[in-house]
Amino acid sequence: MKCFCAIVSSMEYAWIVSSDDEVEAVLNHPDLHVRPPGQQVPAGMGGTALGEVYGRLVRMNEGERHGELRRRVYDIISGWDANRVANLARDAAKVMESGDVGAYVVAAMIGLNRPSEAISLIRDFAGAIAGGASDEAIARGVSATPHLLELLPPNGDPDERANLLGFLFQAYAAVGAMLENRLHGRALPPVVMTRRWAARDIDLCGARLKRGDALAVLLTSPKFNFGAGRHACPGEAIVTAIADATAPPGVKPALGARALQCAGGSLGMAGS
């Protein structure tokens, strides 16, 4: 069985992974990582607060470091009250664009100062973190990140602070995508593609991958609504609760253009 086929896109040369068994194999393979070898942080973020945050995100790490961060992320999310999350979402949906509700709710849950005033900063941060972000989007994120860090509650732990901002991105992108799918009546996962890179030469599903090879992993099956394997999204219940409270299934939400743009830009960033 041939699991992969080569493509050339505007971004890079990659392998396409599409069937359920192929996706399962890739997402669980220990030598297929979320970042290219030797590129923990994208070049345009180097030496900035955004780059510092990016490199500490659970989503961007592997091995023992990833396991440690993931446990801490779960500890934080498990303490959130589901009823409060839903109530915040319902109240916010009455006064703001549906696509902004996810970011607002998570901002309130993590204790961000003046969460409703921080939405534009969150948009810029999320746009920079999204897979395939343009140089212009990264520049906006570089500008926004120090302001968001200042709005966080005092905390001397840089890993926790970084991953609190990571929650903002995941909520903004995932909720926005879920609402966009409902708007158009599409039964699609919040994120339909994620990426992996070979950390070393490996053989997989009959293909020989070289170190540094990129893979475009299509998450179009309901089985992978929130990813799979070690980087499966830990916030599925929270994201779903926000989306359901904002626009229950079968109800078409009213999304702003910015929310639609960010939802489209969330490709390639599923999970943690």
Side-chain angles (χ1 to χ4, degrees):
M1 180 178 67
K2 185 176 181 180
C3 292
F4 306 96
C5 63
I7 65 168
V8 177
S9 72
S10 60
M11 293 173 56
E12 60 190 333
Y13 177 88
W15 295 91
I16 290 180
V17 187
S18 57
S19 72
D20 283 3
D21 59 338
E22 298 161 6
V23 171
E24 191 82 42
V26 167
L27 296 184
N28 284 284
H29 199 290
D31 294 316
L32 295 175
H33 292 183
V34 294
R35 292 295 304 155
Q39 292 186 40
Q40 179 69 20
V41 175
M45 300 181 189
T48 70
L50 175 61
E52 180 70 16
V53 166
Y54 190 100
R56 293 179 182 275
L57 293 175
V58 58
R59 172 71 179 82
M60 303 304 168
N61 281 274
E62 296 287 351
E64 292 183 7
R65 173 72 167 153
H66 171 262
E68 173 194 350
L69 292 172
R70 189 172 176 86
R71 285 189 293 273
R72 296 174 69 178
V73 163
Y74 269 113
D75 287 344
I76 294 171
I77 294 177
S78 64
W80 290 7
D81 182 273
N83 289 327
R84 185 184 176 213
V85 169
N87 289 334
L88 282 169
R90 278 190 289 268
D91 290 344
K94 299 173 184 176
V95 297
M96 65 177 60
E97 291 181 357
S98 297
D100 289 337
V101 171
Y104 169 80
V105 171
V106 171
M109 294 300 296
I110 66 175
L112 199 75
N113 290 329
R114 305 185 302 279
S116 60
E117 299 175 22
I119 295 298
S120 62
L121 295 173
I122 296 170
R123 288 192 198 108
D124 288 344
F125 174 76
I129 295 293
S134 66
D135 291 343
E136 293 79 8
I138 290 176
R140 289 193 294 271
V142 166
S143 177
T145 302
H147 299 294
L148 285 173
L149 289 169
E150 290 175 1
L151 294 175
L152 284 174
N155 183 326
D157 184 337
D159 286 338
E160 182 170 322
R161 289 170 64 80
N163 281 284
L164 290 178
L165 294 190
F167 293 164
L168 296 175
F169 162 74
Q170 295 285 12
Y172 192 77
V175 173
M178 289 181 76
L179 295 179
E180 184 188 11
N181 288 337
R182 290 179 185 180
L183 175 66
H184 295 288
R186 298 188 303 227
L188 289 174
V191 177
V192 295
M193 187 187 82
T194 189
R195 297 180 296 177
R196 293 293 186 270
W197 284 266
R200 64 181 182 86
D201 294 357
I202 60 170
D203 293 307
L204 185 67
C205 297
R208 179 64 174 171
L209 276 66
K210 298 293 187 180
R211 181 178 186 272
D213 277 0
L215 298 90
V217 187
L218 305 184
L219 306 176
T220 52
S221 167
K223 182 178 180 180
F224 304 110
N225 271 358
F226 286 85
R230 63 189 181 278
H231 285 285
C233 178
E236 176 178 354
I238 298 297
V239 168
T240 302
I242 295 171
D244 287 349
T246 305
V251 176
K252 289 188 176 182
L255 288 180
R258 288 173 302 218
L260 291 174
Q261 183 179 15
C262 185
S266 68
L267 299 180
M269 289 300 300
S272 70

